[in-house]
Amino acid sequence: QKEVEQNSGPLSVPEGAIASLNCTYSDRVSQSFFWYRQYSGKSPELIMSIYSNGDKEDGRFTAQLNKASQYVSLLIRDSQPSDSATYLCAVNMRSGYALNFGKGTSLLVTP
Amino acid sequence: DTGVSQDPRHKITKRGQNVTFRCDPISEHNRLYWYRQTLGQGPEFLTYFQNEAQLEKSRLLSDRFSAERPKGSFSTLEIQRTEQGDSAMYLCASSLVKTSNEQFFGPGTRLTVL
């Protein structure tokens, strides 16, 4: 079992809709969770971090964490075509600071 | 604050040659990480430094790979006797101890081994 799992997609949503991206992780001791956005040919860009159970909102983005279920999600409200990218879920490794990444979910927002 | 920078942005080399990449972290960031990313995969951790100390290396990091951060500022990643399987994007990231491990990535160095 891969340590961080994401549905590779593509996930297609119409402009203005809510995009929901999901991620599960295997290591119960993980404490730090991150979402990165990566455009084709570019490097990952940090968009959200979350450390405790519940929701964390930042603009159109909401990260949700459920440590009991080992599940973290990202909601994008009012999706725009410019949100079309690959979204990477990252979880800190057991050793502490390095990150384990999922393969990413490809999001396509159609006008 | 100019962000993380990496040099070169692209490198094409022949199998068996040595290559060296440089990363300059965000000013005052004391942790520096190297990752490798291939097409369709997420970044894979290679190694990280806190100041000048190399604190962790991945099992992925073969003996042909070596990294340094001599003065706790910039870092270099060297690959000796390159193989075609080394072709990838090499990403550097940095973080500040105070900010709970939020890591910021540079633009990457794309390596192609012919």
Side-chain angles (χ1 to χ4, degrees):
Chain A
Q1 178 190 7
K2 190 163 170 51
E3 295 183 46
V4 180
E5 298 211 41
Q6 298 181 253
N7 187 322
S8 61
L11 173 66
S12 183
V13 300
E15 184 175 357
I18 296 175
S20 177
L21 303 159
N22 305 314
C23 171
T24 58
Y25 61 95
S26 61
D27 194 342
R28 287 192 169 274
V29 304
S30 296
Q31 295 294 322
S32 306
F33 307 86
F34 305 91
W35 284 99
Y36 286 83
R37 177 175 62 199
Q38 187 171 30
Y39 293 111
S40 180
K42 302 295 186 181
S43 62
E45 174 191 8
L46 178 66
I47 54 173
M48 289 289 285
S49 58
I50 188 166
Y51 307 100
S52 53
N53 282 329
D55 295 359
K56 178 182 177 182
E57 186 174 320
D58 184 0
R60 295 186 297 112
F61 299 101
T62 299
Q64 299 175 315
L65 176 61
N66 183 325
K67 290 185 180 181
S69 300
Q70 294 174 240
Y71 177 92
V72 58
S73 65
L74 179 70
L75 301 178
I76 306 174
R77 289 181 299 282
D78 188 24
S79 295
Q80 301 297 309
S82 59
D83 294 327
S84 299
T86 295
Y87 289 80
L88 297 162
C89 173
V91 178
N92 73 289
M93 291 183 175
R94 178 175 284 262
S95 55
Y97 302 112
L99 297 179
N100 264 323
F101 283 83
K103 289 186 176 183
T105 297
S106 175
L107 173 66
L108 178 63
V109 181
T110 55
Chain B
D1 189 345
T2 57
V4 179
S5 61
Q6 292 187 245
D7 184 69
R9 296 290 302 277
H10 303 274
K11 179 71 177 178
I12 300 174
T13 191
K14 293 182 179 179
R15 189 174 50 189
Q17 298 295 304
N18 299 344
V19 294
T20 300
F21 309 141
R22 176 178 170 130
C23 170
D24 287 85
I26 293 171
S27 178
E28 297 182 352
H29 276 197
N30 45 9
R31 291 200 186 119
L32 186 150
Y33 310 79
W34 286 98
Y35 293 85
R36 177 173 65 187
Q37 187 176 25
T38 54
L39 195 62
Q41 304 294 316
E44 293 177 306
F45 168 70
L46 295 178
T47 188
Y48 94 91
F49 294 83
Q50 181 158 318
N51 301 313
E52 65 275 10
Q54 187 174 20
L55 296 187
E56 187 176 355
K57 293 196 294 185
S58 165
R59 292 168 298 168
L60 293 175
L61 209 64
S62 79
D63 291 344
R64 297 185 297 107
F65 288 69
S66 62
E68 294 183 341
R69 194 183 184 198
K71 296 182 179 179
S73 56
F74 72 92
S75 174
T76 58
L77 177 69
E78 181 183 17
I79 310 174
Q80 296 183 326
R81 305 181 303 282
T82 52
E83 302 173 356
Q84 287 186 324
D86 297 331
S87 295
M89 176 76 86
Y90 288 83
L91 294 163
C92 176
S94 69
S95 70
L96 189 60
V97 171
K98 294 179 184 178
T99 56
S100 300
N101 204 31
E102 290 184 339
Q103 297 181 23
F104 299 89
F105 282 85
T109 294
R110 181 166 296 284
L111 173 66
T112 302
V113 181
L114 301 177

